[in-house]
Amino acid sequence: MRKRLIAGNWKMNMMMGEAGELARGVVDRAGGLAENIDIILAPPYTALGAVGDVLRETGIMLAAQNVFWEESGAFTGEISPGMLADAGCSWVIIGHSERRQILLETDEMVRMKIGASLGAGLKVIVCVGETLEERAEGRAIKTVDAQVVKALTGVDIDDPEDLVIAYEPIWAIGTGHHATPAEAEFVQSAIREIAGNILGDSAARIRIVYGGSVNEENIRDLLAEPDIDGALVGGASLRAESMASIIEAAGAK
Ligand code: PGA
């Protein structure tokens, strides 16, 4: 039985004070469920300290939204996995489509970031997903297949629970048009198969979560699917009430 996971990706939002308040709101409303499911908050770098202070001893875990693959050195503007751990992070989100599209992150960069992060003891949420055009042309599985293969091949994964794959169709992110549970399940069961080709039996223990316009209304139906182990939540994670409702829906079953 895979433990469900709900992660809030705050993206480039929240000043330090607001971030602390939002984290406090989530802890107050849903902190009690941290024993049943993995709950993760990913504020921007500048608010990691403020949010980390609020999350201490609550069981809710802290994540960064990005990382660099080297440990230290002349890499202006970058942050290493060790620095994230030092700042209180136990998780990191890697390869979000906004980074792939806007910051031109490649599959190879994603793979190096995953390897370096796992090596430093961080747990990883790696994002994959197709564009609307790729879906329209019937290439959704092919796109995701290539992303998963390139992300995971040659990466050392000691504990399959340390790696989460987030299926985030790009056409569903921030649009209000989420994938239907059947659409997400179709791709996510394929992802488990692809991961199985690379990792063998341990792929059955990897969590695969869905992301893209998840909210308190659609979360239950999504979680009813066998290969949807949780959600990576963007917009709806910016309000404590909606994030707490999503966590409650995941923690209930
Ligand atoms: P959204 O974002 O929930 O606002 O669609 C999800 C994500 O980008 O992780």
Side-chain angles (χ1 to χ4, degrees):
M1 181 74 180
R2 294 182 295 268
K3 195 176 192 183
R4 281 185 172 162
L5 179 146
I6 300 291
N9 172 15
W10 295 359
K11 308 194 179 183
M12 197 175 73
N13 295 292
M14 299 286 153
M15 297 298 173
M16 287 189 279
E18 299 170 297
E21 266 175 49
L22 175 55
R24 167 63 51 210
V26 175
V27 169
D28 288 348
R29 288 174 177 80
L33 289 168
E35 281 181 13
N36 306 356
I37 62 168
D38 283 348
I39 307 171
I40 299 166
L41 300 182
Y45 286 142
T46 47
L48 285 173
V51 172
D53 285 345
V54 173
L55 298 187
R56 196 163 296 125
E57 315 280 312
T58 66
I60 299 184
M61 297 175 282
L62 186 66
Q65 300 171 16
N66 181 34
V67 67
F68 194 61
W69 55 82
E70 296 286 352
E71 267 172 48
S72 64
F75 304 103
T76 301
E78 294 300 326
I79 307 279
S80 72
M83 288 171 175
L84 293 182
D86 188 44
C89 293
S90 44
W91 288 85
V92 60
I93 299 171
I94 294 176
H96 191 281
S97 60
E98 285 149 17
R99 298 205 56 81
R100 291 180 191 256
Q101 292 196 317
I102 305 167
L103 282 305
L104 308 183
E105 251 182 51
T106 64
D107 287 317
E108 177 60 8
M109 290 171 166
V110 168
R111 197 183 61 81
M112 290 194 288
K113 289 178 179 198
I114 295 172
S117 297
L118 290 173
L122 293 173
K123 300 176 190 203
V124 167
I125 300 174
V126 56
C127 305
V128 298
E130 81 284 1
T131 62
L132 188 57
E133 193 187 354
E134 286 162 339
R135 171 157 286 256
E137 290 169 359
R139 289 190 288 127
I141 299 284
K142 198 170 167 231
T143 301
V144 169
D145 182 331
Q147 289 172 334
V148 172
V149 168
K150 287 178 190 157
L152 300 190
T153 302
V155 172
D156 256 342
I157 302 167
D158 285 343
D159 184 346
E161 285 175 15
D162 292 352
L163 183 89
V164 171
I165 300 175
Y167 170 54
E168 298 209 307
I170 294 169
W171 47 271
I173 294 178
T175 59
H177 300 294
H178 65 97
T180 64
E183 283 171 335
E185 172 61 22
F186 183 73
V187 178
Q188 296 193 196
S189 61
I191 289 176
R192 196 172 302 285
E193 224 177 284
I194 296 156
N197 294 338
I198 305 164
L199 306 171
D201 291 347
S202 59
R205 289 176 54 212
I206 283 189
R207 272 123 3 128
I208 305 177
V209 303
Y210 168 79
S213 298
V214 170
N215 58 34
E216 56 269 60
E217 262 101 60
N218 57 35
I219 183 69
R220 276 186 188 74
D221 289 345
L222 287 160
L223 289 173
E225 298 293 337
D227 286 295
I228 303 183
D229 300 315
L232 180 53
V233 187
S237 73
L238 294 175
R239 283 174 296 115
E241 298 76 27
S242 46
M243 183 62 175
S245 302
I246 291 167
I247 293 167
E248 277 160 17
K253 198 173 116 185

